[in-house]
Amino acid sequence: VAPADRRIEIAADMRYHGQAFELLIPWGEVTTPDAASLARLVTAFHATHRERFSYANPDDAVEIVTLRATAIGRLKKPEPGAIAPAARPARKGTRRAYEGGAWRDLPVWDRDALTPDSVIEGPAIIEEAFATHWVGRGWTARLGPAGAVIATRDSNGETP
Amino acid sequence: VTTLGPIEIEVIRNALTAAAAEMDVTIWRTSRSTIVRELLDYSTAVFDADGYNVAQSARIPQHLNSMGAALRTLLEH
């Protein structure tokens, strides 16, 4: 991880002296705490206490019980892979199914062979190795980014 | 007088009970007393303007009768 993509964030578990439960207060990237950053932390504690419990006692002693460091390394976001449709027809045939109160021969699509040009108008069935998808009447499904099947409802006027 | 339906009654009842329960948790989490924290020796309740208990959180239920009586006495004086 490049140095620019690293962060070490500090947080403190804090409470008023005498309490037995702490609040987790984020402190940010503090390397050498000074009076100003401590004052900022205490102010944040009073504010969080007020938010959580409806009151704060700004004049009371505040304790740090635990300090927590979180090391973060940002990784590059993976790009979605290119879609590689299987070299066979996306429409694999029809299947008899009960839909809308009657038995009909509905189109069956092959999930692995779908291309960005495939327009699947419901009612239709999409088959893949581990699942069978039902595209309902009034819905249209298309291949979206990263190979996801995205169905939109026609009556909403949504564009896929 | 407005008549409330069963759904409205349940929603209002649970909102009031939730208010009492939130008071309960606030006291528990912020208390500096071991009696409160460890023994849970306290109670919270929501009262109406006449001092009648409308919702409570059951920590020590025996508190609740006296709370209502004490509040009504305060309101009378």
Side-chain angles (χ1 to χ4, degrees), chain A residues 18-21 53 55 57 60, chain B residues 26 28-32 37:
Chain A
Q19 287 181 333
F21 294 98
F53 300 122
Y55 75 94
N57 297 334
D60 284 5
Chain B
T26 295
W28 178 53
R29 299 290 282 193
T30 63
S31 172
R32 301 171 197 204
R37 259 174 2 224

Side-chain angles (χ1 to χ4, degrees), chain A residues 90-136:
Chain A
R91 272 286 306 268
K92 65 192 286 186
T94 61
R95 195 199 294 171
R96 208 162 143 69
Y98 193 77
E99 191 276 336
W103 288 95
R104 304 170 204 275
D105 288 317
L106 298 183
V108 178
W109 294 77
D110 181 341
R111 172 75 157 84
D112 295 334
L114 295 180
T115 70
D117 297 330
S118 306
V119 178
I120 303 163
E121 287 175 352
I125 292 158
I126 306 171
E127 289 182 348
E128 63 179 303
F130 300 103
T132 303
H133 307 283
W134 169 253
V135 182

